[in-house]
Amino acid sequence: MLQAELKTDLDSFLAEELAKYPREDLLKIDLHCHDCNSNEPDEIIGRILHVPETWIPTQRVIEELQLNGCDAFTITNHNNARSCYALQSEGMDVLTAAEFSCWVPDFNIGIHVLTYGFTAEQEVRLEKLRKNVYDFQEYACANDIPTIWAHPLYHYASDKMPPMEFFDRMLLIFERFEMLNGQRDTWQNMLVKEWIAGTTPEKIDRLAAQYDINPTQFCRDPYKKSLSGGSDSHMGFFSGLTGTYLYISGLQERLKTESRSQLALEAIRHGDMLPYGSHQNSEKLTIAFLDYACQIAINFKDPGLMRILLHKGTSTEKIVSMVGANAFFEIQRSKVTMAFIHYFHNCLLGKPPSFWTKLIVKSAYRPVYDQVVRMAKIHQSGQAVLADEYYRSIYAINKHLNELLFLRLAKKISGFKWGGRHAGIADIEKMIAQLDLPGNIRGYGGKRKKSGLDLRGFLDGLSFPFLASGFLLAAHFISTRVMFNTRPFLKDFSDKLGKYRHPERALWLTDSFDDRNGISVALQAMHRQIKERNLPIDLLVCSDRMESDDHLIVLKPVCEFTFPFYPDQPVRIPNMMEIHDLFHQREYDRVICSTEGMMGVMGLYLKQAYSVPAHFFIHTDWVMFSQKVLHFDQQNRDRIRRMLRGYYGAFDRVFVLNKDLHKWLTGKDMNFDENKIHLTSHWADLNFKPVQASKKEIFGIDERRPVMLYVGRISKEKGVIELPQLYHAVKQAIPDIAIAVVGEGPENEQLRKELPDGIFSGWVAQEQLPAIYSAADVLVVPSTFDTFSQAALESLSCGLPVVAFNSKGTKDIISDGVSGFLVGSVEEMSEKIIYYLANPQKFQDFRQAAVVQAENFDTDSIVTRFVADIGL
């Protein structure tokens, strides 16, 4: 596992470095930390919203550095040394420093340069020169001002990832590199270490000649490359946990006559630096963002619409800023949420709430209160594993809030007055209509039409758990996004180094796996192939009825409920933070989704958070579903289509099961690029083949009676309401015809009434189906809804011809007039069945052709192509 390798190598490296020098000759300093004077964020959204990077007071940072064992001090605020000057004026021995945002003009990329030991006059000059990093570095070298390239693999590119040439050039103009950054994961940090370790004098000379750069203009010793560490803490509580040991020979004697800041500057100039710290992922950054979000919520002021609209930035950045601003406004409106945020922020800083606070906390929120107090106690104890312990408490808080939120939500849904199945559909249709915001600006000033739903009452009791859990999840998302936004580049970088390559492994998310539907059947077949071939793919499903298996992860749902308009398919809510952590722990690098529910949402979340490709496998035609099942009008079906266009458009690849769907997605209605849409297929397992089967044993009828078979979900969208008409039409010509129905569904009772002499088997296990297909005489598929007809393919594999509507789900499977018939109406379907059953020669020819037709759906070629299409 990559993470285990990284941790082992980092621990070994740090131990080896520390063993080089006597401990009494080392100063301990955090060479990269911030306080409230880092008030101008680099990120454009922060500037649009007019929020500083932190509100943490200078003295608080110093206290944390002392608490964590530092004996030399500096503060590296963005583009200014105000805090250092202020501390020096108070008589404190502090090394002057700043983190300058510099521009690399030939690559149009921004980088951060830690700079030490300059004067106030030199700072003015450095501020002007930072617009060109070459001028900046040349001036720093000429004036013996040591610099360190901060987090070299995290940069600020205006458009794309930098080429390797960029790093080659920076290698020539920098002597010192921040190898251990407390806000970056170990993968990124260790790649920096490996990159610098591979630098030789010969390489420097070769690159200097190649790029016509004289490294002595920028470096005192261009052949000596040194590594440093720093916490990069903006919130204070991690300051000093990551940093640098500085080696000064005879330190104790020299301290009698020289200041620590002078000695620290000397060691930095000579490159006598040893990073210290520990293995980490995104935990520290998550906690830092949580506290930052708390501070924004506490201090946020309306930036103003004109500022948001007219500020520099893309339209997307401005929309995100608008959404973010309104989110903080909503949080500030909730008194309970704001109280939680105040307590949470104070406890992160080691300040627990008073005893009296506990007495007024509602019992439902007591577990949250207990975890918050635990965090304060952890901080006060000075535990070395502060980040891990904080993270455990945050995880527990989020889990409880999620359970509370969705249990309340389930009660609201079950108690909601939907007015019956079809009235419920009407309510949903009204809600979808309400998603359209008015294009007329006056529409925002007046009263909008009510949907007929009491949403205010519906949301009562959900605000705090929703806002608070959303708050925690957002911090997870943002911290992971910041940490992994250069992931594609890191992957290429590791490939070029030939070290610490990230595993290639996919996580396949689905809301349905053990349900009685076609999606579950198809995914179970895929799971069997994944296990048999040991493919680097794991399926993840949320269920309380299943257990995990090889390549199958089963998470227990936080909550489960159903909607009245589709009661047979439960909605299961997973713990999103659990999936978030699992994705990183198991080292996945891509996502596949099969359902548009919670797992589909989670797939897009993971894609954006971890900067990984995400692919979607379409099983259901939702536009057709909205027409056939929900009975939506054309306007609302168009709304569904537009939503799907936005949803599928967010994925990197979309897999479809028929040519019509491929044509629709690439046509004028959806307008997707041909390269984005991939045609794939299901297959029938090897046990689907002709077998000896007795009608007497299978159906309980005479062997001579012909059997018309239906296999599938018994629901209106599957066309089962056509079966009685079809059966009676065929019966007029073939009086002894029998009809067998295999499956379950909401129309089961009604169908039994209309087919009193029908043979109903209910839902049967997959292993029983080959005998059922082999015993029947013809399979009927009355659906125009399916994206693929698994029953048709299984039927053909067993030598049973199929008569189906000429629709997208079947016409790619059946060869019309050879292995079955494709028809346009119920009348034509009955005619073809009568013709087929009355013609013995056609009967035998079709059965033989059916098996041949099914062989076109070869498992190996389908799976191999799919795996290749997702890049594995």
Side-chain angles (χ1 to χ4, degrees):
M1 298 286 282
L2 176 61
Q3 291 301 318
E5 180 187 5
L6 289 168
K7 183 180 186 307
T8 299
D9 289 359
L10 174 64
D11 290 345
S12 297
F13 169 72
L14 295 180
E16 289 169 6
E17 288 294 291
L18 191 58
K20 291 179 180 178
Y21 304 102
R23 184 66 183 85
E24 62 270 16
D25 284 345
L26 298 177
L27 285 174
K28 186 178 183 181
I29 187 171
D30 184 346
L31 287 176
H32 189 175
C33 58
H34 301 265
D35 68 13
C36 58
N37 281 310
S38 275
N39 55 351
E40 187 69 22
D42 275 298
E43 288 75 14
I44 185 67
I45 291 173
R47 296 203 298 274
I48 293 173
L49 293 177
H50 199 44
V51 293
E53 285 204 340
T54 179
W55 284 264
I56 192 78
T58 305
Q59 192 55 42
R60 179 72 193 186
V61 176
I62 296 299
E63 289 171 2
E64 288 293 327
L65 290 170
Q66 292 170 334
L67 180 68
N68 290 317
C70 291
D71 49 20
F73 304 95
T74 188
I75 296 180
T76 54
N77 287 321
H78 288 298
N79 303 317
N80 75 86
R82 290 195 297 270
S83 295
C84 295
Y85 298 145
L87 290 169
Q88 289 166 358
S89 69
E90 296 170 5
M92 187 172 181
D93 182 20
V94 174
L95 174 62
T96 305
E99 182 180 19
F100 286 97
S101 300
C102 296
W103 196 248
V104 186
D106 42 347
F107 293 94
N108 209 28
I109 291 172
I111 65 172
H112 285 181
V113 182
L114 296 163
T115 311
Y116 306 91
F118 50 82
T119 64
E121 292 76 17
Q122 289 172 330
E123 181 185 352
V124 174
R125 184 64 178 156
L126 289 167
E127 172 64 24
K128 292 180 179 178
L129 293 175
R130 69 185 181 89
K131 295 176 182 177
N132 185 318
V133 71
Y134 299 102
D135 295 340
F136 185 96
Q137 281 294 99
E138 188 172 7
Y139 176 82
C141 180
N143 289 274
D144 204 16
I145 301 171
T147 61
I148 299 173
W149 184 9
H151 41 70
L153 300 188
Y154 184 85
H155 42 267
Y156 302 86
S158 62
D159 48 8
K160 59 183 180 180
M161 296 295 108
M164 204 63 194
E165 181 187 343
F166 164 74
F167 292 93
D168 290 342
R169 288 176 179 267
M170 295 303 101
L171 195 62
L172 295 173
I173 69 171
F174 281 98
E175 291 180 71
R176 306 166 198 88
F177 302 82
E178 185 183 54
M179 168 257 161
L180 198 58
N181 182 288
Q183 298 298 312
R184 309 296 156 192
D185 75 319
T186 304
W187 186 33
Q188 192 170 144
N189 288 332
M190 289 301 287
L191 284 174
V192 173
K193 180 253 177 187
E194 284 299 312
W195 171 49
I196 299 303
T199 302
T200 62
E202 292 76 20
K203 181 178 180 179
I204 294 295
D205 290 339
R206 176 173 55 78
L207 293 176
Q210 181 178 345
Y211 299 120
D212 193 24
I213 292 176
N214 179 6
T216 58
Q217 288 182 249
F218 311 98
C219 307
R220 289 298 179 94
D221 183 354
Y223 301 117
K224 182 179 180 180
K225 304 300 179 185
S226 306
L227 302 176
S228 72
S231 70
D232 199 3
S233 176
H234 289 66
M235 301 302 119
F237 39 76
F238 294 130
S239 299
L241 289 178
T242 307
T244 306
Y245 288 116
L246 300 175
Y247 170 66
I248 300 99
S249 179
L251 173 63
Q252 302 306 315
E253 190 63 30
R254 293 186 65 183
L255 282 173
K256 296 176 182 178
T257 57
E258 299 173 78
S259 70
R260 291 174 184 271
S261 60
Q262 288 175 320
L263 294 173
L265 182 61
E266 176 187 307
I268 296 170
R269 281 173 174 155
H270 293 160
D272 295 331
M273 304 185 293
L274 297 78
Y276 73 82
S278 60
H279 172 70
Q280 61 200 29
N281 294 314
S282 61
E283 289 88 352
K284 286 183 181 177
L285 197 58
T286 296
I287 296 163
F289 268 104
L290 264 176
D291 191 56
Y292 184 49
C294 289
Q295 294 185 53
I296 293 177
I298 294 167
N299 298 284
F300 190 68
K301 301 290 188 295
D302 189 350
L305 182 61
M306 295 306 291
R307 178 185 179 89
I308 293 175
L309 292 177
L310 300 179
H311 202 285
K312 279 197 306 183
T314 65
S315 57
T316 300
E317 288 164 341
K318 293 176 182 180
I319 290 171
V320 170
S321 299
M322 181 75 80
V323 171
N326 280 275
F328 282 112
F329 291 147
E330 286 303 309
I331 289 169
Q332 288 176 337
R333 284 169 58 89
S334 171
K335 291 182 180 179
V336 178
T337 306
M338 284 304 297
F340 165 75
I341 286 172
H342 276 282
Y343 294 144
F344 190 89
H345 171 60
N346 287 331
C347 287
L348 282 174
L349 300 176
K351 302 175 184 176
S354 68
F355 170 78
W356 302 108
T357 303
K358 185 174 183 178
L359 299 180
I360 62 173
V361 173
K362 293 180 179 179
S363 59
Y365 304 141
R366 192 64 57 77
V368 174
Y369 174 88
D370 292 341
Q371 288 295 334
V372 169
V373 172
R374 178 180 179 270
M375 292 167 68
K377 292 179 179 177
I378 291 167
H379 188 281
Q380 291 170 351
S381 69
Q383 291 190 32
V385 288
L386 183 68
D388 292 340
E389 291 301 317
Y390 270 6
Y391 195 79
R392 286 192 184 95
S393 288
I394 292 167
Y395 188 91
I397 291 170
N398 184 75
K399 185 174 185 292
H400 180 75
L401 290 171
N402 268 331
E403 290 171 352
L404 197 63
L405 170 65
F406 289 111
L407 283 173
R408 289 180 178 180
L409 181 62
K411 287 182 180 178
K412 295 277 186 180
I413 291 172
S414 63
F416 202 75
K417 295 179 180 178
W418 297 95
R421 178 182 171 94
H422 295 294
I425 292 170
D427 285 337
I428 292 295
E429 195 168 13
K430 289 177 183 177
M431 288 176 68
I432 290 174
Q434 286 289 301
L435 294 176
D436 265 354
L437 297 175
N440 177 5
I441 196 168
R442 286 182 177 271
Y444 295 94
K447 291 184 178 179
R448 295 187 65 194
K449 277 186 177 181
K450 291 185 178 179
S451 66
L453 302 174
D454 180 16
L455 290 179
R456 185 183 294 273
F458 184 79
L459 295 174
D460 184 43
L462 302 180
S463 296
F464 169 64
F466 172 74
L467 290 172
S469 60
F471 192 80
L472 296 175
L473 186 63
H476 271 73
F477 174 83
I478 295 169
S479 62
T480 307
R481 175 71 179 171
V482 168
M483 183 165 285
F484 291 105
N485 74 327
T486 57
R487 187 188 189 110
F489 161 75
L490 293 177
K491 182 180 181 300
D492 291 343
F493 198 85
S494 62
D495 287 342
K496 288 183 173 68
L497 290 181
K499 183 77 171 178
Y500 303 130
R501 290 187 173 96
H502 197 284
E504 294 186 341
R505 191 169 188 84
L507 182 64
W508 192 324
L509 303 170
T510 175
D511 292 281
S512 184
F513 187 83
D514 62 335
D515 303 295
R516 292 181 172 181
N517 57 40
I519 297 175
S520 292
V521 170
L523 289 174
Q524 288 167 15
M526 177 61 82
H527 179 228
R528 288 191 289 273
Q529 289 298 318
I530 290 170
K531 287 203 299 183
E532 182 180 313
R533 300 161 188 260
N534 195 27
L535 296 174
I537 302 172
D538 292 333
L539 288 103
L540 187 149
V541 64
C542 190
S543 174
D544 55 8
R545 303 193 303 254
M546 299 172 55
E547 296 296 331
S548 294
D549 188 13
D550 290 344
H551 296 279
L552 176 66
I553 303 164
V554 180
L555 303 182
K556 300 300 180 185
V558 174
C559 179
E560 182 174 324
F561 55 87
T562 59
F563 288 106
F565 51 85
Y566 208 57
D568 297 331
Q569 181 59 55
V571 178
R572 302 182 184 97
I573 308 296
N575 183 335
M576 294 182 74
M577 270 180 61
E578 186 177 8
I579 299 176
H580 175 110
D581 290 346
L582 183 143
F583 189 85
H584 188 268
Q585 291 163 3
R586 300 209 179 188
E587 301 179 346
Y588 300 106
D589 73 333
R590 67 203 70 199
V591 184
I592 311 166
C593 297
S594 274
T595 48
E596 292 85 350
M598 283 301 299
M599 287 301 189
V601 173
M602 194 68 214
L604 290 178
Y605 170 96
L606 293 173
K607 168 184 166 62
Q608 295 299 326
Y610 284 100
S611 300
V612 296
H615 316 303
F616 196 86
F617 199 127
I618 297 179
H619 292 272
T620 305
D621 183 342
W622 288 105
V623 175
M624 183 72 76
F625 182 87
S626 68
Q627 178 182 359
K628 295 274 188 180
V629 179
L630 302 180
H631 310 292
F632 281 6
D633 60 24
Q634 184 61 50
Q635 188 176 18
N636 271 329
R637 291 204 300 274
D638 285 342
R639 289 187 176 113
I640 293 293
R641 175 178 56 80
R642 288 192 290 270
M643 289 179 194
L644 290 173
R645 184 166 58 203
Y647 180 78
Y648 295 145
F651 288 90
D652 295 274
R653 294 183 179 90
V654 176
F655 292 86
V656 296
L657 290 162
N658 61 72
K659 294 173 184 175
D660 278 12
L661 196 51
H662 186 283
K663 184 178 180 181
W664 179 66
L665 288 168
T666 56
K668 61 182 180 64
D669 283 341
M670 299 296 273
N671 202 31
F672 287 132
D673 188 279
E674 289 269 356
N675 295 324
K676 183 187 181 82
I677 313 301
H678 294 256
L679 191 62
T680 185
S681 180
H682 296 322
W683 59 90
D685 284 344
L686 294 177
N687 62 311
F688 284 95
K689 57 187 176 183
V691 297
Q692 290 295 321
S694 164
K695 289 180 181 179
K696 179 70 174 175
E697 293 178 5
I698 302 296
F699 303 119
I701 62 173
D702 189 273
E703 297 292 341
R704 291 167 294 181
R705 287 187 65 185
V707 177
M708 186 167 64
L709 176 67
Y710 170 82
V711 176
R713 178 176 162 79
I714 305 176
S715 57
K716 287 185 178 179
E717 73 271 14
K718 297 291 188 178
V720 296
I721 56 174
E722 313 286 3
L723 289 178
Q725 178 186 347
L726 177 64
Y727 171 66
H728 293 306
V730 175
K731 192 175 179 65
Q732 288 181 359
I734 307 175
D736 62 343
I737 187 75
I739 184 167
V741 178
V742 177
E744 293 177 350
E747 303 302 323
N748 190 28
E749 186 177 340
Q750 182 63 32
L751 193 61
R752 284 176 181 267
K753 288 180 182 178
E754 297 187 29
L755 290 173
D757 51 350
I759 303 164
F760 289 84
S761 303
W763 185 271
V764 303
Q766 284 289 99
E767 53 268 21
Q768 294 177 262
L769 285 173
I772 293 173
Y773 287 126
S774 297
D777 295 287
V778 63
L779 179 79
V780 293
V781 181
S783 172
T784 58
F785 166 76
D786 292 337
T787 55
F788 188 89
S789 178
Q790 186 69 19
L793 180 57
E794 291 170 352
S795 176
L796 294 177
S797 301
C798 295
L800 179 64
V802 183
V803 181
F805 283 117
N806 188 20
S807 64
K808 56 182 175 292
T810 50
K811 67 180 184 181
D812 292 347
I813 301 172
I814 300 162
S815 179
D816 187 31
V818 178
S819 58
F821 292 107
L822 296 170
V823 302
S825 66
V826 176
E827 292 76 16
E828 187 183 0
M829 183 175 282
S830 63
E831 291 170 4
K832 294 297 185 182
I833 292 171
I834 294 167
Y835 166 73
Y836 163 71
L837 293 175
N839 190 329
Q841 185 57 49
K842 185 67 70 176
F843 187 87
Q844 291 303 320
D845 292 346
F846 269 39
R847 279 190 171 274
Q848 293 173 8
V851 175
V852 174
Q853 179 75 17
E855 291 173 354
N856 293 328
F857 297 85
D858 173 59
T859 306
D860 186 65
S861 59
I862 293 169
V863 173
T864 300
R865 180 176 174 182
F866 176 78
V867 171
D869 283 343
I870 62 171
L872 290 176

